[in-house]
Amino acid sequence: MINVAIVGYGNLGRGVCLAVDKAPDMECVGIFTRRAPESVNPVISVPVYKVDELKNFKGKIDVLLLCGGSATDLPSQASEFLKDFNTVDSFDTHAKIPEYYAKLEKVAKENGTLGAISIGWDPGMFSIARMLFGAVLPDGNDYTFWGKGVSQGHSDAVRRIAGVKNAIQYTIPKEQALSSVRNGENPTLSTREKHLRECFVAIEEGANKEEIEKAIKEMPNYFADYDTIVHFVSDEEVKDMQKKLSHGGFVFRSGKTTNEASHLIEFSLKLDSNPEFTGSVLTAYGRAVAKMAKEGKTGVVTVFDVPIKYLSPKSEEELRKTLL
Amino acid sequence: MINVAIVGYGNLGRGVCLAVDKAPDMECVGIFTRRAPESVNPVISVPVYKVDELKNFKGKIDVLLLCGGSATDLPSQASEFLKDFNTVDSFDTHAKIPEYYAKLEKVAKENGTLGAISIGWDPGMFSIARMLFGAVLPDGNDYTFWGKGVSQGHSDAVRRIAGVKNAIQYTIPKEQALSSVRNGENPTLSTREKHLRECFVAIEEGANKEEIEKAIKEMPNYFADYDTIVHFVSDEEVKDMQKKLSHGGFVFRSGKTTNEASHLIEFSLKLDSNPEFTGSVLTAYGRAVAKMAKEGKTGVVTVFDVPIKYLSPKSEEELRKTLL
């Protein structure tokens, strides 16, 4: 059995809990949290500890599944945990990955541990798609679309506008852009042509709808470069929408081998629960890290470095026989 | 530069030639053929040799890209070549892969060489999809559909019927089955429900169309379990169709993380030229084999064992920075 521990119990931690529970070869030693352990109600039966107690589990955990956020939790925590444990995380600030990698690689090499970073669906499975398809069809273009799903950053930005009580923002890929890519037209797509932004906004009593709509649509970086639709709804309606955590997206590679022969590769996800799916990916890579560490591998790895056989509980013989 | 050689120059060999020509880090040392070298007209400028001359190139070739067929060529040749060279092949007889693997693994280990087997799109990229998706969503089902594209085996079977002059058979996934899977209905699909078979048949003068149609539709293993459509056309029309080598297919994984949360992963290929695309996959894995062999790896590998970073000519740093 592979002994795992979950650090952080938000939506992602809950998703990892569910995934570990479905894994025939994994056992969850505990959930480690910064909150009061008694305030955490895990979705499966598993002990909850204060995160400070982790040090007492050194040598008893094969891999830590880090479920903190990329903004502040992971940059401060991951390198500390990596001193004593093998880890998997979902660090998703694309621009900061090289810096994050370098910092963790140093710690892992010094301490003989193994860390898998940026695991999830993007970065993660979408990265596999982009890299693999590009290597196979070098003469071509790739396209990544996200949605329909909630962008937390854009929802936050709307909520910061004066007079807004609550808000949720959906990123939606434009059908016309998807069709053009699917038809092999190799389009050059502007930001506006790729995605639509749809906001559902609950306002404070007496707030000015027109001004708020203008403030949203003209917000630089977040909305100004997009077609944005704004709906004014009740706070209850927004809260209802916030319960659904569905998401998804598409990666395409369109390329040619000769002027006469074009090819299209399409990879897509349609997810009812973004954190539960991300938790499943994290868990599969947790298995891989435990196996690779046992073989003596140290340092930092990404989805580009991990042979996919390590993700499965099945033997190599069974994989070749049944899935090749 | 990685020095490669191409063994066998049919449609696949031509596809590999084109792909190697597009690779910035690969050079083609030569094409090796059983035919008279002067009868081969490569699509790029490259020397052609008799296959017996390969022995004189020992130590000068980083990897052989084997472009023979799975029925007779690869089972007899691959283990011989693997004694002196690293190899990549597209062995695609799914049921015989374990036996093929075992035979080649022994030779490779004894001779310190590295062979990648069953490389292409199925087995190959579709295998990656099946394995990866199943590891990430263990509580679910996978579905593989092929087509629309030509099945060589079924075309051959029709051509063996008395009175048939020429024939081509297309395998076509049924829209209703695809929709049901895409809608997350997790259907149990019979052979008949998954694919349709469409035959275009040119007959000898005086042959009986009704008898031929009956012979096709009732042929056990090949057609009896399918809905089959038969068209009678001229020999020229069949020959025209035989020039187009388009193919494609789909891999789906439909699964759930809880009873409330289902997820759908879809991977599809739409290929204008099956051999040119397969040749591109073979070439990318040729690069991987050359790099892994240089690092000291020996034995036999499949797509499950090869970290995808090795498929790209880009550095690991660049991959993390631009594609993760």
Side-chain angles (χ1 to χ4, degrees):
Chain A
M1 289 300 259
I2 296 168
N3 289 315
V4 307
I6 297 167
V7 182
Y9 195 78
N11 284 325
L12 180 57
R14 183 180 165 280
V16 168
C17 239
L18 290 165
V20 170
D21 195 43
K22 278 190 197 287
D25 56 343
M26 295 173 120
E27 206 148 71
C28 187
V29 170
I31 291 168
F32 293 83
T33 175
R34 279 175 304 194
R35 289 187 271 165
E38 59 276 15
S39 73
V40 173
N41 259 310
V43 66
I44 60 166
S45 170
V46 57
V48 182
Y49 304 95
K50 281 292 284 182
V51 72
D52 313 323
E53 296 188 53
L54 249 185
K55 55 185 181 300
N56 306 323
F57 286 82
K58 194 173 169 175
K60 292 173 189 159
I61 294 168
D62 296 311
V63 59
L64 290 189
L65 305 169
L66 304 185
C67 299
S70 297
T72 55
D73 297 339
L74 295 173
S76 63
Q77 294 176 343
S79 56
E80 282 307 307
F81 294 136
L82 204 45
K83 286 179 184 165
D84 297 322
F85 299 96
N86 304 310
T87 63
V88 179
D89 73 51
S90 64
F91 186 77
D92 67 357
T93 312
H94 288 263
K96 292 187 177 168
I97 288 174
E99 179 193 328
Y100 186 72
Y101 175 92
K103 183 180 169 190
L104 267 57
E105 169 76 4
K106 195 168 172 287
V107 175
K109 283 294 185 194
E110 279 171 8
N111 293 280
T113 55
L114 179 64
I117 65 165
S118 302
I119 303 298
W121 61 272
D122 196 0
M125 296 186 72
F126 273 20
S127 320
I128 291 178
R130 283 187 291 260
M131 211 243 89
L132 178 61
F133 304 166
V136 163
L137 272 186
D139 187 1
N141 299 304
D142 59 37
Y143 299 88
T144 302
F145 292 88
W146 299 275
K148 182 187 173 173
V150 175
S151 162
Q152 217 50 63
H154 289 76
S155 300
D156 287 346
V158 175
R159 280 193 290 265
R160 281 193 298 265
I161 295 171
V164 171
K165 191 173 176 186
N166 200 357
I168 189 164
Q169 192 270 185
Y170 293 95
T171 307
I172 304 168
K174 285 196 176 176
E175 271 307 324
Q176 205 181 337
L178 290 174
S179 302
S180 173
V181 172
R182 280 206 188 98
N183 292 338
E185 293 164 17
N186 267 298
T188 303
L189 296 168
S190 68
T191 297
R192 188 178 302 274
E193 286 167 328
K194 285 185 77 185
H195 295 94
L196 182 77
R197 300 203 173 275
E198 191 172 21
C199 306
F200 294 84
V201 184
I203 58 171
E204 308 281 1
E205 231 185 281
N208 185 320
K209 288 186 183 177
E210 273 175 38
E211 276 174 20
I212 289 173
E213 182 162 348
K214 193 166 180 289
I216 296 172
K217 290 187 171 175
E218 295 180 358
M219 195 185 298
N221 301 321
Y222 286 88
F223 293 97
D225 297 335
Y226 295 85
D227 291 338
T228 303
I229 300 170
V230 177
H231 306 277
F232 290 99
V233 298
S234 71
D235 191 24
E236 287 67 42
E237 287 173 279
V238 175
K239 280 184 176 140
D240 255 10
M241 292 184 209
Q242 285 166 336
K243 285 176 198 154
K244 290 198 194 115
L245 302 165
S246 58
H247 216 310
F250 305 81
V251 175
F252 294 91
R253 181 84 188 178
S254 174
K256 57 185 184 179
T257 43
T258 61
N259 286 332
E260 292 74 43
S262 294
H263 312 282
L264 183 74
I265 313 180
E266 176 171 349
F267 173 60
S268 70
L269 297 176
K270 220 171 80 187
L271 312 174
D272 274 356
S273 167
N274 184 356
E276 287 178 20
F277 185 79
T278 303
S280 296
V281 182
L282 229 61
T283 301
Y285 277 89
R287 175 182 292 120
V289 164
K291 290 187 194 172
M292 291 168 83
K294 210 172 171 184
E295 290 179 10
K297 175 94 180 162
T298 62
V300 170
V301 292
T302 73
V303 292
F304 299 152
D305 306 295
V306 178
I308 61 170
K309 67 177 174 188
Y310 289 110
L311 304 177
S312 175
K314 296 177 182 164
S315 72
E316 295 183 24
E317 291 70 28
E318 198 181 347
L319 291 175
R320 280 193 297 269
K321 196 176 170 184
T322 59
L323 292 169
L324 197 65
Chain B
M1 290 300 260
I2 296 168
N3 289 314
V4 307
I6 297 166
V7 181
Y9 195 78
N11 284 326
L12 179 57
R14 183 182 164 279
V16 168
C17 239
L18 290 165
V20 170
D21 195 43
K22 277 191 198 287
D25 56 343
M26 294 174 120
E27 205 149 74
C28 187
V29 171
I31 292 168
F32 293 82
T33 176
R34 280 175 302 196
R35 289 185 272 165
E38 59 277 13
S39 72
V40 173
N41 260 311
V43 66
I44 59 166
S45 170
V46 57
V48 182
Y49 305 94
K50 281 293 282 182
V51 72
D52 314 322
E53 296 188 53
L54 248 185
K55 58 183 180 301
N56 306 323
F57 286 83
K58 194 173 169 175
K60 292 173 189 160
I61 294 168
D62 296 310
V63 57
L64 290 188
L65 305 169
L66 305 185
C67 299
S70 298
T72 54
D73 296 340
L74 294 172
S76 64
Q77 295 176 341
S79 56
E80 283 306 307
F81 293 137
L82 204 46
K83 287 179 184 164
D84 297 321
F85 299 96
N86 304 311
T87 62
V88 178
D89 73 52
S90 63
F91 186 77
D92 67 358
T93 312
H94 288 263
K96 293 188 177 167
I97 288 175
E99 177 192 331
Y100 186 71
Y101 175 92
K103 183 178 169 192
L104 266 58
E105 170 76 4
K106 193 168 174 287
V107 175
K109 283 292 184 196
E110 280 171 7
N111 294 277
T113 55
L114 179 64
I117 66 164
S118 301
I119 304 297
W121 61 271
D122 197 358
M125 295 187 72
F126 274 19
S127 321
I128 291 178
R130 284 187 291 260
M131 212 241 90
L132 178 62
F133 303 166
V136 164
L137 273 185
D139 187 1
N141 299 304
D142 60 37
Y143 299 88
T144 302
F145 293 88
W146 299 274
K148 182 185 174 177
V150 175
S151 162
Q152 217 49 65
H154 288 78
S155 300
D156 287 346
V158 175
R159 281 193 290 264
R160 283 193 296 264
I161 296 171
V164 171
K165 191 173 176 186
N166 199 356
I168 188 164
Q169 193 268 186
Y170 293 94
T171 306
I172 305 169
K174 285 195 176 177
E175 271 307 324
Q176 206 181 337
L178 290 174
S179 301
S180 174
V181 172
R182 281 208 187 97
N183 293 338
E185 293 165 16
N186 267 299
T188 304
L189 296 167
S190 68
T191 298
R192 190 179 301 275
E193 286 167 327
K194 285 186 76 185
H195 294 94
L196 182 78
R197 299 203 174 276
E198 191 172 20
C199 307
F200 294 84
V201 183
I203 58 170
E204 307 281 1
E205 231 184 280
N208 185 322
K209 288 185 182 179
E210 274 175 38
E211 277 175 21
I212 289 173
E213 183 161 345
K214 192 167 181 286
I216 296 173
K217 291 187 171 176
E218 294 179 357
M219 194 186 299
N221 301 320
Y222 286 88
F223 293 98
D225 298 334
Y226 295 85
D227 292 337
T228 302
I229 300 169
V230 178
H231 307 275
F232 290 98
V233 297
S234 70
D235 191 23
E236 286 67 41
E237 287 172 281
V238 174
K239 280 185 176 140
D240 256 10
M241 292 183 210
Q242 286 166 336
K243 285 176 197 155
K244 289 198 194 117
L245 302 164
S246 58
H247 216 311
F250 305 81
V251 175
F252 294 91
R253 180 84 188 179
S254 174
K256 57 186 183 180
T257 45
T258 61
N259 286 333
E260 292 73 42
S262 294
H263 313 281
L264 182 75
I265 314 180
E266 176 171 351
F267 173 60
S268 70
L269 297 176
K270 221 172 80 186
L271 313 174
D272 275 355
S273 166
N274 185 356
E276 287 179 20
F277 185 79
T278 302
S280 295
V281 181
L282 228 63
T283 301
Y285 277 89
R287 174 182 292 121
V289 164
K291 290 186 193 173
M292 291 169 83
K294 211 173 170 185
E295 290 179 8
K297 175 94 180 163
T298 62
V300 170
V301 291
T302 73
V303 291
F304 300 152
D305 306 296
V306 178
I308 60 170
K309 67 178 174 187
Y310 289 109
L311 304 177
S312 175
K314 295 177 182 164
S315 72
E316 294 183 24
E317 291 71 28
E318 197 181 349
L319 292 175
R320 280 195 297 269
K321 196 177 170 184
T322 59
L323 292 169
L324 197 64

